[in-house]
Amino acid sequence: MAHRLQMRLLTWDVKDTLIKLRHSVGEEYASKARAHGLVVEATALEQAFGQAYRAQSHNFPNYGQNCGLTSRQWWKDLVLHTFHLAGVPDARAITPIADHLYEDFSSPSTWQVLEGAETTLKECRKRGLRLAVISNFDQRLEDILVGLGLREHFEFVLTSEAMGCPKPDPRIFHEALQLAHVEPAMAAHIGDSYPCDYQGARAVGMHSFLVVGPEPLPSSVRDSVPKEHILLSLSHLLPALDLLEASSLMREGGGSK
């Protein structure tokens, strides 16, 4: 006898899946620098930030928890490194900018909800689906989600800082499943990172969907992700869930003949 797939839990990435910065990092950094009397090009800061972020994440992963850092200090050090790479080596001049930037990025006004996000979350809840967050974010995420009016949609918010390990580490996905008391086969994860979200969730037996932007996907990703798992926008999620459940029913039906 065929059984319809019963999806019970949807876990969500947040940054660039449900919310995004109103302005680029380079613009935010340049604006705060101007307020402190420093003129640095936004494009230079954007490029420097990418380089500094990669180095900081490699040298002190997950906000430097295993190195005795707080997430606030981790971000301040990243700002100092960013400005240094952009040609401003004076740490004393940058320290107050770093403090203000940390506060700015804690504010919901620095962020905006992506188109279709709130509607999709509401529709998922109307279907009886339970929702939660799994994010490689720091302790500020809860307040940001509250300020943006999204926190009410989620049973819990699990950040990599709170968990002590980031996606795609299977422990953070297992913790979410345990908190929800849901088996992996009855859960799906939605996010914009192929390794962290799509692969990370599938590695523990969850279903997953990859949110993509207007840029072309790398061929390695495009060839690895079935088209029905790719979301060109969040409005495609519910039809994708319907297709997943229908295909599961067909497989079960075929196997029962």
Side-chain angles (χ1 to χ4, degrees), residues 133-167:
V133 164
I134 304 176
S135 174
N136 287 354
F137 216 102
D138 59 48
Q139 61 188 355
R140 297 173 290 179
L141 183 57
E142 286 265 8
D143 288 342
I144 292 170
L145 290 173
V146 169
L148 292 173
L150 297 182
R151 179 61 183 86
E152 65 188 39
H153 297 295
F154 304 108
E155 291 187 16
F156 58 85
V157 172
L158 186 59
T159 65
S160 61
E161 182 177 18
M163 182 61 196
C165 60
K167 298 175 295 184

Side-chain angles (χ1 to χ4, degrees), residues 33-165:
R34 284 195 300 273
H36 286 260
L38 286 175
V39 178
V40 189
E41 290 295 325
T43 51
L45 287 166
E46 187 77 23
Q47 183 176 3
F49 174 82
Q51 183 178 346
Y53 184 86
R54 288 188 293 272
Q56 186 82 338
S57 297
H58 179 268
N59 295 330
F60 308 101
N62 201 34
Y63 308 111
Q65 285 186 320
N66 294 331
C67 306
L69 293 177
T70 64
S71 56
R72 185 183 185 113
Q73 187 60 53
W74 189 93
W75 280 110
K76 287 177 64 176
D77 291 346
L78 175 58
V79 172
L80 293 173
H81 190 195
T82 297
F83 276 90
H84 183 86
L85 290 174
V88 185
D90 187 354
R92 287 176 299 178
I94 303 305
T95 296
I97 298 175
D99 286 327
H100 288 162
L101 281 168
Y102 184 85
E103 297 303 327
D104 282 353
F105 280 82
S106 304
S107 170
S109 63
T110 303
W111 302 85
Q112 65 182 21
V113 179
L114 285 167
E115 183 179 356
E118 189 157 21
T119 299
T120 300
L121 294 174
K122 287 179 178 178
E123 289 298 320
C124 288
R125 292 178 68 194
K126 283 182 182 179
R127 286 195 178 196
L129 290 162
R130 299 165 60 194
L131 309 180
V133 164
I134 304 176
S135 174
N136 287 354
F137 216 102
D138 59 48
Q139 61 188 355
R140 297 173 290 179
L141 183 57
E142 286 265 8
D143 288 342
I144 292 170
L145 290 173
V146 169
L148 292 173
L150 297 182
R151 179 61 183 86
E152 65 188 39
H153 297 295
F154 304 108
E155 291 187 16
F156 58 85
V157 172
L158 186 59
T159 65
S160 61
E161 182 177 18
M163 182 61 196
C165 60

